[in-house]
Amino acid sequence: MMRRAKCSAVHAPIYSLLALCLPVGSALAQEAAKPADKPAETSKAEEHWIPKLRLGDDNSYVELYGQINKGLLVYDDGGSTDNYFPVDNGNSSTRAGLRFSTKMENNWSVGGNLEWEWTPYSTTSVNQLNKDHYDWEANLLRKAEVYMDSKEYGKFWFGQGSMASDGTAEVDLSGTSVVGYSLISDMAGGPFLRLDDGTLSSIRVKDAFTNYDGLSRKLRFRYDTPSFGGFSVSSSVGTQVVPDPTDVAVWDIALRYDQTIEDVKVSGALAFSRPGDSNSIYDASVSLLHQPTGLSLTLAAGYSDKEAIDGRYGYAKLGYQTDIFEVGKTAFSVDAYFGKDIKAKGTNSDSYGVQVVQNLDYLQTELYVGARTYSYDDEVASVQDSYAVLAGARLKF
């Protein structure tokens, strides 16, 4: 979201360690008569490079977590090529957080979350005019929330955090969202598009490409129902206080689905949002993963209903995950984005991309590379196509 790093929420990079454990499993099978000793248990507990930074147990704990996500962005605007390094990956920002939870009587639990991001040189802000300019004060409070949770009654949230519609346009089971997902401008949103006469326009990539992903994070009250057959409903009301207060009340409602049907994992979301100023946003996404083959299909769409202009887009991604190396899964994907009337009436925003992600399970790291085209058509001015390549690594702890 990982906007995400939109950031939204945080995408988990720690996949199954089965491939790493197969040699150990074979050795134990040959010596089945021997009881497991304590040194073997100690070795199993140290499968990750960075241990879980937690005090307590599953019933009551305080936990420090975070991620570092840096890379190299190469952007060609049709007239010049610029390199940005080390750049912060806007798909899933560098961040750190503290969460706590404790179980109470009657199957209730209470908890909370504090989370900050720090992006002094982000793919969503770097451009041809501020190359090598670092904004060391570019930090943002993402979350400062508390909650009460019950399997029977649902989950109640209060504080700065995700609105109900946050992430509803970004459901993605491809395993490549760290470098490419429906918000395609996160990969290279800061650079300006170049006109055919060679001059830079005032239009940034992120101005022309969006995914209408609900209301993001706000100071809000939110309620999520329990899951019924894989379906859950949530709604929230709030206002923006970070980074700048708006004093505008906003609300939304969302429907989510998460279920495995035979060999296919299915996740989806649908949302309606009212961001104010007589504007309505409708967005949805669905992702299907065939677990035996690793094939996936992801679809997303959004519509913004404004008085002056109605923007809309459609997005599709095909993915494939496989075990090429013992260190972790390798994920491949290709995607396409088609937008209309997003920047202004009569404009078209099209993009095609390819992504590769290699998981390093023991190191809790994803190595990634993605390439993308940006094509923008305007009735007023002629704009050149641009190209971006982003390569880097995300380490989670």
Side-chain angles (χ1 to χ4, degrees):
M1 53 160 75
M2 111 130 305
R3 210 214 203 248
R4 236 317 326 290
K6 314 222 144 238
C7 57
S8 144
V10 178
H11 307 282
I14 306 177
Y15 293 90
S16 172
L17 295 174
L18 179 59
L20 293 175
C21 296
L22 283 175
V24 177
S26 299
L28 291 176
Q30 295 173 3
E31 300 181 9
K34 291 185 178 182
D37 52 19
K38 290 186 178 180
E41 293 176 358
T42 302
S43 175
K44 183 178 180 180
E46 297 176 351
E47 288 292 347
H48 291 306
W49 179 42
I50 303 175
K52 185 172 290 188
L53 305 178
R54 173 184 287 191
L55 294 175
D57 53 29
D58 290 341
N59 292 320
S60 183
Y61 66 84
V62 176
E63 182 177 63
L64 176 67
Y65 69 94
Q67 65 181 37
I68 300 171
N69 195 353
K70 300 286 187 177
L72 166 67
L73 172 65
V74 180
Y75 181 80
D76 185 334
D77 59 23
S80 65
T81 301
D82 293 295
N83 303 322
Y84 304 93
F85 178 82
V87 72
D88 300 286
N89 183 345
N91 291 290
S92 182
S93 60
T94 296
R95 63 191 67 159
L98 186 70
R99 63 169 68 100
F100 70 89
S101 177
T102 184
K103 291 184 179 180
M104 304 175 66
E105 296 181 357
N106 301 321
N107 295 320
W108 282 90
S109 64
V110 297
N113 195 187
L114 285 171
E115 184 177 292
W116 294 265
E117 71 175 9
W118 186 49
T119 55
Y121 200 52
S122 174
T123 58
T124 61
S125 60
V126 298
N127 58 58
Q128 299 92 328
L129 304 182
N130 73 347
K131 187 176 180 182
D132 298 327
H133 175 71
Y134 292 79
D135 183 5
W136 301 113
E137 297 182 357
N139 62 85
L140 182 68
L141 175 65
R142 290 171 54 87
K143 297 180 180 180
E145 60 188 358
V146 293
Y147 66 81
M148 294 186 64
D149 189 15
S150 165
K151 290 185 178 181
E152 183 178 359
Y153 298 105
K155 196 168 186 177
F156 301 84
W157 311 73
F158 179 75
Q160 171 70 18
S162 291
M163 295 286 286
S165 57
D166 189 22
T168 51
E170 301 171 351
V171 177
D172 192 327
L173 300 176
S174 68
T176 61
S177 59
V178 67
V179 69
Y181 67 118
S182 64
L183 188 53
I184 61 170
S185 60
D186 272 355
M187 178 179 172
F192 293 97
L193 300 176
R194 189 174 293 275
L195 301 173
D196 276 349
D197 63 9
T199 61
L200 287 177
S201 72
S202 60
I203 304 170
R204 296 188 179 195
V205 171
K206 61 185 177 182
D207 298 329
F209 298 86
T210 187
N211 67 350
Y212 296 123
D213 182 47
L215 299 179
S216 188
R217 295 177 303 276
K218 301 286 188 290
L219 176 63
R220 88 300 191 215
F221 175 79
R222 169 177 167 175
Y223 171 67
D224 295 12
T225 70
S227 178
F228 301 99
F231 288 95
S232 63
V233 179
S234 57
S235 185
S236 57
V237 58
T239 186
Q240 179 174 306
V241 296
V242 177
D244 300 306
T246 62
D247 296 324
V248 176
V250 299
W251 66 272
D252 57 7
I253 186 169
L255 172 68
R256 287 180 169 81
Y257 179 76
D258 191 6
Q259 195 74 284
T260 299
I261 305 173
E262 294 185 351
D263 291 331
V264 180
K265 180 174 176 56
V266 183
S267 293
L270 173 70
F272 171 77
S273 310
R274 291 286 288 183
D277 298 329
S278 301
N279 183 20
S280 298
I281 296 176
Y282 308 82
D283 71 85
S285 60
V286 62
S287 192
L288 298 89
L289 172 63
H290 186 245
Q291 297 178 103
T293 64
L295 293 172
S296 65
L297 172 65
T298 300
L299 302 172
Y303 175 72
S304 176
D305 182 11
K306 293 183 178 180
E307 292 184 0
I309 182 175
D310 298 335
R312 54 196 179 275
Y313 81 96
Y315 173 84
K317 175 194 277 189
L318 291 174
Y320 174 59
Q321 302 175 52
T322 186
D323 294 309
I324 299 177
F325 309 105
E326 290 186 357
V327 293
K329 281 190 178 295
T330 307
F332 306 88
S333 62
V334 293
D335 64 14
Y337 173 104
F338 305 98
K340 186 172 180 60
D341 298 336
I342 292 176
K343 176 63 176 70
K345 190 173 181 60
T347 64
N348 292 289
S349 310
D350 300 334
S351 178
Y352 300 91
V354 58
Q355 303 85 29
V356 181
V357 176
Q358 176 61 56
N359 288 275
L360 306 178
D361 292 338
Y362 172 73
L363 297 177
Q364 299 155 265
T365 297
E366 296 154 287
L367 305 178
Y368 57 81
V369 60
R372 182 169 298 285
T373 66
Y374 295 105
S375 178
Y376 175 76
D377 293 326
D378 192 317
E379 293 179 347
V380 177
S382 182
V383 179
Q384 298 189 38
D385 291 346
S386 55
Y387 310 87
V389 176
L390 177 63
R394 176 171 68 175
L395 166 67
K396 280 198 171 186
F397 59 88

